[in-house]
Every structure is written in structure tokens, then in C-alpha cells.
């Protein structure tokens, strides 16, 4: 780690591996991958989510949501052990299966559903989303095709109804911090283009090059592949006499939920 004391979220990270050999090429026994749905980099949504992470870090300190850019997990943390004879053949198999299966499903951008603070399993601030069942089918299909491969550890398919903005694993966020962060999310994150025009999202497969055990320090990842997903085909009401802010609220109210959000907190559009 650098001796400089970090003062911003962007500076609070692990020292880069620029020019270094990836750990798995140095004989590491395991490699870690994650498949996630995320806003396309450079869009208003992606940029404002990053700004939210910076502000939440500076105003309330680090939490586990700072470990990676905001995303919706599709597979969770996939760990693959190196085979004594087969080497990294299971890694190649995983990449091939994902690339093949992505093409078989009608994958569309999620719908925005507002913000809330959920109480279980620990108090967390989340962005509610509605994700097509096609993603759960994709995850189950990948599981079915690779679960018998040597050395692979596949987690349970995670819930896909939320994007975590602030959370901790062992203890809950303080109630005051959760309320402050939920208000900050509403003020900072730009969902207007997403709601009014469909937004731009992609499905991304990352390899985790280096994990951090330090709260708030982003893990180092390498993008393996990405696939743009279709527009969700829905728009907020475009009546010219309705202000954009009201159209966003109407879009949230019209979102149909297929899963209980497990939260007692209020939802702010």
C-alpha cells in the first residue's frame, strides 16, 4: 500500500498491478470470476453512480459497496481451483459456456424501481430494480452446464431485484447513515435517461485479480467479456404537459414487482 493517506474514494484503492504478471500465472491455486449486469461505462447513470460512491465514502465512510462498482450480480462469486492435470481447463469451459448461453436468452435492461433501506439480513441501502426472468434462466443454465466441472465452486443464484448502494456484511449500517445515504442516492444518481429513454446496460464477465480485505478498498478486476443487452422496450409517459420528474415517478409506480423486497424501509422514487 502507498504511504499516502487516502483522502478520496478514488485514491483509496490497492496499489496497481501495472506491468505485473497476473496472480494465476504465478502459480495461484484459485481464480475468481463474477458475472454482473451493469450500466454501460460512460453513461449518465454509470457516471452518477460513481459520483455517489465518492460522496458516500467522504460523508459516511467506507462500506462493502465500495469494494466494486455498482452492479446487479447474476452468478455471484465463482471460484475455480487449478486442476493438478487439467490446469485451468475449467476456466476456459466457464468462459465458453457463458458466451454461448448469453446468445440464447432475450436479455434486456432492468427497470428502475426507486430506493429503499432494507432491514435483512443487515440494514442496507439499495436501488430497487426489476430484472427479466431471462437472467435467472441464464444463471440456472450456466449452473447446469458447469457444476460438474472439476474444481468449480458455484454459489446459489443471488436475488436480482436490487443493486446494493451501501451495506456491510456482519453489522448493519447505522440508521442515521442509511437515511442520509438514501437521500444522497436520490439527489445524486441520474436515472432520468434510463427511465425516459431505456438507458444502456451490459452483461459483464470479470476476473477478480486481487481481492482486498480492507473495508472500502476496491478489488482489482479484469474485464474478460461483455455483451450489450437490449433496451427494455418500455418508456415513461411522454405527455408533453408532464414534467420529467413526474414521468420518472409514474414509471416507478408502474413497475411490476415479481419478488418481495424483504424490506421494512420506505421507498423513495
Amino acid at each position: 500500500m502507498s504511504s499516502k493517506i487516502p483522502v478520496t474514494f478514488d485514491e483509496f484503492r490497492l496499489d496497481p498491478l501495472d506491468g505485473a504478471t497476473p496472480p494465476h500465472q504465478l502459480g495461484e491455486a484459485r481464480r475468481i470470476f463474477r458475472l454482473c449486469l451493469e450500466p454501460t461505462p460512460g453513461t449518465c447513470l454509470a457516471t452518477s453512480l460513481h459520483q455517489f460512491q465518492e460522496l458516500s465514502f467522504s460523508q459516511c465512510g467506507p462500506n462493502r459497496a465500495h469494494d466494486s462498482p455498482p452492479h446487479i450480480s447474476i452468478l455471484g462469486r465463482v471460484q475455480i481451483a487449478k486442476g493438478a492435470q487439467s490446469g485451468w481447463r475449467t476456466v476456459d469451459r466457464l468462459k465458453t459456456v457463458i458466451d454461448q448461453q448469453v446468445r440464447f436468452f432475450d436479455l434486456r435492461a432492468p427497470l428502475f424501481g426507486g430506493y429503499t433501506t432494507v432491514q435483512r439480513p443487515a440494514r442496507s441501502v439499495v436501488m430497487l430494480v426489476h430484472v427479466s426472468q431471462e437472467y435467472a434462466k441464464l444463471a440456472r443454465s450456466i449452473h447446469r452446464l458447469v457444476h460438474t466441472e472439476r474444481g468449480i465452486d458455484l454459489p446459489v443464484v443471488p436475488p436480482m431485484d436490487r443493486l446494493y448502494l451501501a451495506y456491510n456484511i456482519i453489522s448493519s449500517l447505522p440508521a442515521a447513515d442509511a437515511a442520509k445515504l438514501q437521500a444522497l442516492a436520490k439527489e445524486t444518481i441520474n436515472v432520468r435517461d434510463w427511465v425516459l429513454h431505456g438507458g444502456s446496460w451490459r452483461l459483464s464477465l470479470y476476473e477478480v485479480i486481487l481481492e482486498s480485505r480492507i473495508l472500502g478498498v476496491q478489488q482489482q478486476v479484469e474485464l474478460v467479456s461483455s455483451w450489450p443487452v437490449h433496451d427494455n422496450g418500455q418508456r415513461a409517459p411522454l405527455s408533453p404537459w408532464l414534467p420529467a420528474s413526474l414521468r420518472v415517478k409514474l414509471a416507478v409506480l408502474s413497475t411490476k414487482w415479481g419478488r418481495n423486497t424483504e424490506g421494512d424501509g420506505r421507498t423513495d422514487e
Side-chain angles (χ1 to χ4, degrees):
M1 293 289 291
S2 170
S3 60
K4 180 182 177 182
I5 299 175
V7 293
T8 70
F9 171 64
D10 277 333
E11 293 176 348
F12 195 42
R13 60 183 68 246
L14 298 173
D15 289 332
L17 291 174
D18 295 342
T21 303
H24 68 270
Q25 294 182 10
L26 294 175
E28 291 287 335
R30 294 175 180 81
R31 293 168 69 180
I32 298 168
F33 296 85
R34 58 181 177 87
L35 183 67
C36 64
L37 183 60
E38 62 181 0
T40 302
T43 59
C44 292
L45 178 58
T47 300
S48 62
L49 279 167
H50 180 73
Q51 183 183 11
F52 169 80
Q53 284 197 315
E54 290 182 316
L55 293 173
S56 64
F57 183 95
S58 63
Q59 295 183 21
C60 296
N63 64 74
R64 282 300 171 192
H66 293 119
D67 291 356
S68 61
H71 64 277
I72 302 166
S73 181
I74 304 301
L75 280 184
R77 183 178 182 274
V78 180
Q79 183 171 282
I80 298 176
K82 186 176 183 180
Q85 303 297 327
S86 59
W88 296 117
R89 188 170 60 191
T90 299
V91 168
D92 297 333
R93 171 65 174 160
L94 176 69
K95 294 177 182 178
T96 299
V97 166
I98 292 175
D99 185 61
Q100 291 174 344
Q101 294 303 303
V102 163
R103 305 172 194 279
F104 296 151
F105 295 90
D106 183 20
L107 303 177
R108 296 185 176 272
L111 298 173
F112 175 65
Y115 304 100
T116 194
T117 298
V118 297
Q119 305 299 329
R120 298 186 298 272
R123 186 182 299 112
S124 308
V125 178
V126 303
M127 173 191 287
L128 298 172
V129 294
H130 177 72
V131 172
S132 165
Q133 288 297 312
E134 293 290 288
Y135 288 96
K137 293 177 183 177
L138 169 66
R140 290 194 295 268
S141 180
I142 295 170
H143 268 247
R144 177 176 54 82
L145 291 170
V146 302
H147 79 278
T148 58
E149 296 290 333
R150 289 182 179 274
I152 193 164
D153 181 12
L154 288 164
V156 175
V157 175
M160 303 177 195
D161 59 357
R162 64 196 66 182
L163 185 155
Y164 280 92
L165 297 173
Y167 74 98
N168 284 315
I169 296 174
I170 298 178
S171 60
S172 289
L173 295 173
D177 282 357
K180 182 176 181 179
L181 290 169
Q182 185 173 325
L184 180 65
K186 183 179 178 182
E187 295 169 1
T188 306
I189 300 173
N190 186 350
V191 301
R192 182 169 298 184
D193 180 69
W194 175 19
V195 173
L196 298 182
H197 307 295
S200 177
W201 289 68
R202 72 180 190 181
L203 187 68
S204 301
L205 176 64
Y206 287 98
E207 178 170 5
V208 179
I209 302 299
L210 188 60
E211 289 187 305
S212 170
R213 302 301 180 186
I214 303 173
L215 184 65
V217 176
Q218 277 208 355
Q219 57 187 207
Q220 293 187 18
V221 299
E222 179 179 304
L223 179 65
V224 177
S225 297
S226 66
W227 303 264
V229 301
H230 300 299
D231 182 356
N232 57 46
Q234 298 189 23
R235 298 288 188 276
L238 296 178
S239 303
W241 60 84
L242 290 177
S245 59
L246 181 55
R247 282 181 270 156
V248 170
K249 290 184 178 181
L250 289 174
V252 172
L253 291 174
S254 67
T255 300
K256 303 299 183 182
W257 295 103
R259 182 178 289 118
N260 190 324
T261 61
E262 298 180 356
D264 298 326
R266 64 188 183 280
T267 299
D268 294 330
E269 293 83 25

